[in-house]
Amino acid sequence: MPPPFRHRVSTLCLSCLAGCSAATKPPDAPVRPPPGTKPASPPPEARYETFESDYRAFEALAKRRVEEQQRLLQPAAELPEAAPAYSQFKSLGSVRGKEISEEFFKGRYDRSRARLPENIEQWRSQPDIANPGPDQANFTNSAFTLPEGRAYIEFAPYTYNGPAPSAYTGTARSTPALYYTQYLLRYGLTDDIELRLFGNGVSWSGGSNGYWGFSPVAFDTKINLWLEKQDYFLPAAAIEAYLQTEWLGATPFNIGTQPAVNFNFDQSLPLDILFEYNIGTARVPDRNGRNVWQFVFEWAVQRDFLDKDLALFAHGYYYNYDYTPRAAASPSGLPAIPAPRTRSPYQNVAGAGFIWTLNNRFAVYGQASGGTTEFSPSMVTMAGFAVAF
């Protein structure tokens, strides 16, 4: 006989509740030891198994990092796969470094920077005809000296001064044409003191009593006082003193022992233009045989072109009477001083020229100028070369 209906409903509900309880029952909690008992320790291999594997992994990673750092610190030349690329890079760097160095020291515009403490050793290390450059090329002498132990030979086999007609109170006199082969020998005693020997060599004086001969020797020294300070617009400066002697000079070209002193200045202007000027005084005899002191002023502006291989300049001089430290002169070639003197025999000459630097040791130069007063040479031309040692 089937159970009553209420019994079947009760059984079904109990079965459903039992299934839900089994599905939602949490996992069995660990069995706790009874109070007062000490838990058992796990075996050593189970205790350190996890830490040992982590340590081995860390050790391997650290080893790889150290090897990577050693490869990065290892010179590239020792790596076979990088040797060809490194050699090419090193060669290119050497060539470029040499070009930058030559560019820095090349040209008269960088003469002050070349003498700074961080650059002076390189400036001394090799001859350089462009730094400080030939003094004989233009009328002015620079404020810079040669490095210690270095030397220049400057020689102008062609130098010609045209005649200068001079008028004095109705009496016409003429300064004759002059030809000479001027030379200048320079030696760096120290970085700031230069010893110099110059003269006009084989010379010729025109006029009705033309004659040939050898001009006397002059001893000269130039001392650099300070370098250019562009921040204060202060030019580089030097003092130059020389003594014209009678040694080796033919009688017609001897004008006695005569001293002179100049102050030389170099100023850098905008657009890489160099301004040189000399201010000084020199003693010479006039036609009447009296020794007189004359004021001397010479100037030149110059700029480099064609990668600093070619320098173009304009220059001039202004002084009394017919004498310069590098011009042949004799008492018969100097203008007379009239009494009373109605006109000062000032001379003024202006012109232009070039300096062509062929390499570090050799340069050629030339210039052509003309007189602007009746007492000045009608023309002054010169061509020569310089060699650095």
Side-chain angles (χ1 to χ4, degrees):
M1 176 178 182
F5 177 75
R6 63 175 180 274
H7 287 191
R8 290 200 300 269
V9 173
S10 300
T11 302
L12 180 60
C13 291
L14 292 175
S15 300
C16 292
L17 291 175
C20 292
S21 300
T24 58
K25 182 181 179 181
D28 295 337
V31 179
R32 294 184 179 181
T37 60
K38 186 177 181 180
S41 300
E45 57 274 11
R47 185 188 310 170
Y48 299 108
E49 181 177 0
T50 302
F51 299 103
E52 184 176 4
S53 60
D54 292 342
Y55 173 77
R56 298 302 180 189
F58 174 78
E59 184 181 31
L61 178 61
K63 185 176 181 181
R64 288 197 301 269
R65 294 290 177 84
V66 170
E67 291 174 352
E68 291 175 1
Q69 292 297 326
Q70 289 178 347
R71 282 198 299 269
L72 292 175
L73 295 176
Q74 187 177 5
E78 298 179 5
L79 300 177
E81 64 276 7
Y86 175 77
S87 299
Q88 295 176 4
F89 178 77
K90 182 179 179 180
S91 176
L92 178 62
S94 300
V95 172
R96 183 55 184 157
K98 185 177 180 180
E99 291 176 353
I100 293 174
S101 174
E102 292 177 352
E103 178 72 13
F104 177 78
F105 288 96
K106 189 178 183 181
R108 292 152 66 105
Y109 185 68
D110 290 321
R111 289 179 294 184
S112 285
R113 288 196 295 168
R115 291 157 175 80
L116 296 177
E118 62 269 23
N119 302 321
I120 195 168
E121 287 300 329
Q122 187 168 358
W123 173 59
R124 293 169 177 163
S125 64
Q126 60 183 359
D128 189 352
I129 198 62
N131 192 338
D135 269 350
Q136 201 179 60
N138 54 29
F139 293 141
T140 59
N141 290 337
S142 76
F144 298 98
T145 54
L146 297 180
E148 180 178 352
R150 295 295 178 184
Y152 278 9
I153 296 178
E154 303 180 26
F155 180 57
Y158 170 75
T159 307
Y160 177 77
N161 288 9
S166 305
Y168 291 89
T169 61
T171 302
R173 298 186 183 274
S174 175
T175 301
L178 299 170
Y179 166 80
Y180 44 99
T181 56
Q182 63 178 341
Y183 59 88
L184 173 61
L185 310 180
R186 306 168 60 184
Y187 176 76
L189 182 64
T190 70
D191 291 337
D192 300 319
I193 301 177
E194 182 178 297
L195 302 181
R196 302 152 66 92
L197 180 71
F198 70 86
N200 294 307
V202 177
S203 304
W204 168 81
S205 177
S208 58
N209 297 319
Y211 42 82
W212 287 88
F214 197 84
S215 293
V217 174
F219 296 95
D220 185 7
T221 184
K222 180 166 61 172
I223 302 173
N224 178 261
L225 300 178
W226 62 76
L227 301 178
E228 183 178 8
K229 297 175 175 56
Q230 296 187 20
D231 294 340
Y232 303 98
F233 206 69
L234 182 66
I239 184 171
E240 182 178 359
Y242 65 86
L243 185 68
Q244 174 109 357
T245 70
E246 298 184 12
W247 293 2
L248 304 179
T251 300
F253 295 101
N254 277 331
I255 61 174
T257 301
Q258 305 292 351
V261 62
N262 274 338
F263 288 93
N264 306 341
F265 300 95
D266 282 71
Q267 179 75 59
S268 297
L269 302 180
L271 304 177
D272 290 353
I273 295 175
L274 174 68
F275 177 42
E276 284 186 346
Y277 53 100
N278 302 157
I279 301 174
T281 182
R283 194 182 74 177
V284 295
D286 62 15
R287 185 184 293 272
N288 301 326
R290 297 176 298 181
N291 286 329
V292 294
W293 287 92
Q294 66 177 17
F295 170 74
V296 178
F297 177 72
E298 299 171 321
W299 61 271
V301 289
Q302 175 178 297
R303 191 181 190 282
D304 293 333
F305 296 91
L306 301 179
D307 195 26
K308 298 187 179 181
D309 288 332
L310 178 66
L312 302 180
F313 60 81
H315 65 162
Y317 63 73
Y318 171 87
Y319 59 87
N320 300 322
Y321 312 122
D322 186 19
Y323 179 79
T324 63
R326 295 174 297 177
S330 66
S332 62
L334 297 172
I337 300 178
R341 191 162 104 181
T342 59
R343 214 174 311 178
S344 298
Y346 296 149
Q347 296 191 352
N348 188 69
V349 175
F354 73 93
I355 305 174
W356 183 19
T357 304
L358 300 178
N359 53 47
N360 287 344
R361 291 182 178 267
F362 190 76
V364 296
Y365 46 82
Q367 65 89 16
S369 306
T372 61
T373 70
E374 58 187 328
F375 308 108
S376 305
S378 57
M379 63 182 302
V380 179
T381 59
M382 180 264 290
F385 62 88
V387 183
F389 297 92

